[in-house]
Structures are given as structure tokens and as C-alpha cells.
Amino acid sequence: MKVLSYLSRRSGKAATGVSFDGERVFSLEELGWPQGTDVLSFIRDLGCDFTRVQAPAAGGEALRDVELLAPIPHPANNVICIGLNYRDHVEESDRAGILEPAKAEAAYFTKHVNEAIRPGGAIDGHFDICDSLDYECELAVILGRDAYQVSREEAGDFIFGFSVANDVTARNIQKGRGQWFFGKSLDSFFPMGPWIVTRDELGAAPDLAIRSFVNGEPRQNSRTSCLIHSVAEIIEDLSRGITLRAGTIIATGTPSGVGMGFDPPRYLRSGDRVRCEIEGIGALENSVR
Ligand code: MG
């Protein structure tokens, strides 16, 4: 099933809902959850017991009629990210000479997200302080249960589902400051969507085509099975010492083809449209302003 946040055409209000067939969306109230339940409360309450959500015989509204919001518009914590997690991206990063060379251990950082940007929403280029705006199409993993000291074999049981994210980056701010946090965390630098596809549909370690396009031109093209550190390994590694709460978002890294990797680099400009898509999940398109 797809779990989404949206503006209901019927009520005119923001809602969380579920689509079982990709045609109709049912609000959580229609599915029996208390009025006002937000997406994070829903994820925490459901855990990963997907069988508790049953499609009603009638009701809902047409999915194509609602305006999508980011599935988790206001993440409870910083988004956990892993850098340099596709081999071809490690190579292009080394060529670009912008980042420290990759090490064997996973390179984690976090992204401060006041508000995740909805499908179709604008990325603010912050061109007063950013001269090298870049895109990174990534598989986002959403946890459905608190995870502490979880082995890689058990990790799948803690995954709620998957979405598409764009780890937008100001390369000039990422570089040379001893951390990546600031250059990754500017307002609007985390578009996410179009929804969360739950793990019961995709499996815990899906092998999916992952692609991005700028103004329709192909830029990134890989598969999520090419991750150096798998989703299960990331959960095992981090949960050795951190309780990863239900609702945590992990952005798992990006393949080659980012703007930094071209010679000369091809950074984003005002008016550009970036489309990130992952097979079996959907497409996330945003323009730069
Ligand atoms: Mg990234």
C-alpha cells in the first residue's frame, strides 16, 4: 500500500491516507484511526503490522484529484544520511576532488529538515550563498518500529517502507568545513515523495531502478542493489548504539551522475526541473527557484 500526506479536495484540509490500488485514497479516519492522527503517529501505532489496514468497500477520493504533500512533512528528527554509498558515485566524487576520499566505514551525516518539500514544490537555490547547487536522487527508508541493537538479519522487520528523496546539496558549503551538515540542511533541501510504499509490497531489500533527470535529460541511472552498505547493514550498524525511533528517515546515498561529477560541473540553476524516480515507488519532481 501507499501511505501519503495530501490536501483533501473534499475537506480542503491536510490529511494522511492510504491508497491500496493507486486509484483511490482513503483518509486514516475512514480506516478507523482517530481524527487528527498524523503520519508519524500512524506509523508508530501500526508498527509494521500492515494487516491491520484493510481497504474499505467504498469511500475515499480519487488519488489524481488530491494535492500531494511530502509523505512525512515534518520529520521528528534529523534525516539520517549516508554519503558515498554507490561505488560509481565514490569514483566521480574522487575525480571532482570536492570531498574527502571515501573510507571503508559508512560516512554518516544528518540533514536538518524543518519541512520536507512536496512533489511539485520548489527548491530554494539560496543563490546568495550557494554557487554550486546539486541534486542527489536517493532511496529513503522509513522505520516502523524502534530499532536498538538489531542484527542485519532482523533489520527488515523494522522497515515500514520506502520513498524517494532528493538530498539537495550546496557543494561550496559542503566543502572544506569539516562537516556536511550545513551544506545539506538549507531550507527546502529535502524534497520527498510522492508517497511511502510499504515493505510488505516491495520487500526489505528491493532491487529497483533509480534514476534522475534535469529538464528531462537523464543524469543518474543505477539500481538500489548497488548500495555499498545495504539498508540492513546501516540499521545494524547505527542501532548498535542509537535507538532509531519509528518514523526515522534514512537517506541511503546517491549513484553517480550528480552535477559535481561532470567536467565541467553541471549545477542547478533557477528554473531547472529535477525529477527523481525509483521503480516501484514513483517520481518526485521539483523546480528550482
Ligand atoms: Mg546524499
Side-chain angles (χ1 to χ4, degrees):
M1 63 188 175
K2 296 174 168 65
V3 175
L4 53 141
S5 296
Y6 61 102
L7 284 176
S8 165
R9 175 169 282 199
R10 217 167 37 192
S11 70
K13 292 181 180 164
T16 302
V18 171
S19 180
F20 299 89
D21 61 2
E23 300 281 328
R24 298 195 74 71
V25 55
F26 298 91
S27 70
L28 291 184
E29 284 170 51
E30 289 175 289
L31 297 170
W33 266 263
Q35 189 173 13
T37 304
D38 66 12
V39 65
L40 286 170
S41 304
F42 174 64
I43 291 169
R44 289 178 188 131
D45 179 55
L46 193 64
C48 291
D49 186 2
F50 305 111
T51 58
R52 281 177 55 205
V53 191
Q54 296 295 331
E61 56 190 313
L63 184 55
R64 65 174 180 278
D65 286 346
V66 304
E67 184 181 331
L68 295 174
L69 305 173
I72 301 179
H74 302 282
N77 299 102
N78 281 9
V79 173
I80 296 175
C81 302
I82 175 165
L84 305 172
N85 202 25
Y86 286 79
R87 212 159 298 284
D88 53 358
H89 177 59
V90 172
E91 287 162 12
E92 75 176 349
S93 299
D94 287 348
R95 274 199 311 276
I98 283 187
L99 309 176
E100 295 284 306
K103 300 180 174 63
E105 293 83 14
Y108 299 116
F109 61 96
T110 72
K111 212 171 161 78
H112 181 83
V113 179
N114 286 324
E115 182 176 12
I117 299 301
R118 65 179 174 81
I123 297 165
D124 179 351
H126 294 271
F127 293 116
D128 52 338
I129 56 172
C130 171
D131 66 7
S132 41
L133 183 72
D134 213 343
Y135 51 89
E136 296 188 353
C137 177
E138 307 203 3
L139 177 71
V141 179
I142 296 89
L143 298 189
R145 297 163 57 197
D146 292 357
Y148 183 66
Q149 297 193 337
V150 168
S151 71
R152 67 188 65 185
E153 291 78 17
E154 303 166 305
D157 297 340
F158 290 76
I159 295 171
F160 182 82
F162 301 90
S163 190
V164 183
N166 187 346
D167 176 19
V168 181
T169 305
R171 295 293 179 205
N172 60 307
I173 301 176
Q174 182 186 17
K175 181 184 179 184
R177 287 184 176 237
Q179 43 73 31
W180 295 356
F181 172 79
F182 184 26
K184 295 278 190 176
S185 297
L186 306 189
D187 288 355
S188 83
F189 273 20
F190 190 67
M192 179 186 183
W195 35 60
I196 299 165
V197 177
T198 49
R199 185 241 308 161
D200 54 334
E201 207 163 294
L202 291 174
D207 175 19
L208 308 169
I210 176 169
R211 301 187 185 93
S212 73
F213 303 81
V214 176
N215 303 324
E217 183 192 299
R219 291 290 180 90
Q220 299 178 279
N221 185 4
S222 186
R223 299 196 66 83
T224 57
S225 54
C226 295
L227 291 172
I228 297 171
H229 305 280
S230 71
V231 173
E233 288 166 1
I234 293 168
I235 293 171
E236 177 185 79
D237 193 23
L238 288 173
S239 78
R240 282 192 178 113
I242 302 173
T243 301
L244 303 171
R245 298 278 186 213
T248 293
I249 303 168
I250 303 173
T252 56
T254 203
S256 69
V258 300
M260 163 182 80
F262 290 87
D263 184 18
R266 302 180 71 183
Y267 294 122
L268 297 171
R269 297 177 188 160
S270 182
D272 282 350
R273 287 177 297 105
V274 188
R275 179 183 170 93
C276 297
E277 60 179 42
I278 299 180
E279 176 188 9
I281 303 175
L284 169 69
E285 184 163 324
N286 301 90
S287 55
V288 178
R289 67 153 189 262

